[in-house]
Amino acid sequence: MRVAKLMLFAMALLPLFSQSVPATSKKLSGAIPGQAAVGRLVVSGRSMCTGVLVSPDLVLTAAHCLYDPATGRRVNPQKIEFQPRLRHGRASAVRQVASATEHPDYVHRRRGKAQVGYDLAMLKLAKPISRQKVLPVELDVGLARGDMLAVLSYTMGSSKQPILDYPCQVLAQELDTLVMSCEVDFGASGAPVLALSRNKTPAAVSVVSARAAMGGRNVSVSTTLDAKTLRGMMNGS
């Protein structure tokens, strides 16, 4: 199944206080590995995405989260705030973003549509977060056969407490793009796709870009991780 045949709908940035029907996924109950590193991104004080801490001062998210959904213009990264492990309105830490680096091949499309396959951005925090407060999640550039996936995100219907969809799995892959059975809602842009079924530390293997419809079912579309690209983004180049 080629990704081009899907009906793709970008996960646009949405006002934090918009009224919406609650997301279909269940609210998080209990703990899953890596959940503390996932946080809400507040963009210019009025829009939101999701991101994941991958080092004490770096957050991985979707590149289209850096753009104003109304104007298509890139926002000032310093107007983005990261709030990891936000539950019931309280976060483990709050940090401003100092700078942002997009995937080198990403080209933004107007009206919030994500360029799937390259929809990645690395945010540099103005001040690191202590590992004693939040332990960063590991990154992995490959999926193993039989890996079960989870998406942990903040959404329009649950902006103060994360939503977990687990288990879900890959339905199709086209180059750097995955189509997954994971269900997501607006606000989940940039949420990490976590592989939890390995006999090792759970790791982020992909980042949510969009939701889509395929064969009458709701699916999500994400960008996979590439080691060379990640190194460049983490170094700010």
Side-chain angles (χ1 to χ4, degrees):
M1 174 65 69
R2 296 182 63 84
V3 172
K5 294 182 180 180
L6 296 176
M7 297 173 58
L8 300 180
F9 299 92
M11 301 291 292
L13 296 171
L14 296 172
L16 286 175
F17 303 108
S18 292
Q19 298 298 312
S20 173
V21 176
T24 56
S25 301
K26 56 184 177 296
K27 287 188 177 181
L28 179 66
S29 58
I32 64 167
Q35 78 172 66
V38 180
R40 184 175 71 176
L41 288 170
V42 181
V43 183
S44 298
R46 62 179 180 273
S47 302
M48 67 175 287
C49 273
T50 302
V52 60
L53 193 72
V54 297
S55 82
D57 64 348
L58 292 175
V59 173
L60 183 66
T61 189
H64 76 265
C65 292
L66 302 178
Y67 291 82
D68 187 301
T71 66
R73 296 177 181 174
R74 199 175 192 267
V75 303
N76 183 346
Q78 296 178 12
K79 293 186 177 180
I80 302 175
E81 186 175 89
F82 179 57
Q83 303 168 343
R85 203 176 188 178
L86 180 72
R87 298 194 70 175
H88 307 295
R90 298 186 64 179
S92 295
V94 176
R95 293 290 188 273
Q96 298 300 126
V97 172
S99 61
T101 302
E102 301 169 29
H103 190 292
D105 295 320
Y106 181 78
V107 177
H108 188 67
R109 298 172 181 173
R110 290 294 301 273
R111 301 185 184 277
K113 290 188 176 180
Q115 185 188 15
V116 295
Y118 306 116
D119 193 15
L120 296 173
M122 194 71 70
L123 310 180
K124 176 84 170 180
L125 301 180
K127 181 181 178 182
I129 299 175
S130 167
R131 290 178 179 272
Q132 281 66 48
K133 281 190 174 181
V134 180
L135 187 65
V137 74
E138 293 187 7
L139 297 175
D140 200 325
V141 297
L143 283 166
R145 182 183 298 272
D147 272 348
M148 296 305 294
L149 307 177
V151 172
L152 185 64
S153 63
Y154 292 86
T155 70
M156 179 192 287
S158 186
S159 63
K160 295 183 179 181
Q161 185 168 328
I163 290 289
L164 174 68
D165 192 1
Y166 173 81
C168 51
Q169 59 188 342
V170 174
L171 300 175
Q173 182 169 1
E174 177 80 8
L175 299 177
D176 298 322
T177 303
L178 297 178
V179 180
M180 308 175 297
S181 62
C182 316
E183 291 195 29
V184 293
D185 198 3
F186 290 102
S189 297
V193 179
L194 301 169
L196 298 177
S197 58
R198 304 174 181 216
N199 294 320
K200 58 181 180 180
T201 303
V205 296
S206 188
V207 170
V208 171
S209 292
R211 68 177 182 180
M214 184 176 74
R217 68 183 297 184
N218 293 326
V219 298
S220 55
V221 180
S222 67
T223 299
T224 58
L225 307 181
D226 170 80
K228 181 179 179 180
T229 300
L230 283 173
R231 283 196 299 270
M233 293 171 63
M234 294 177 85
N235 291 329
S237 61

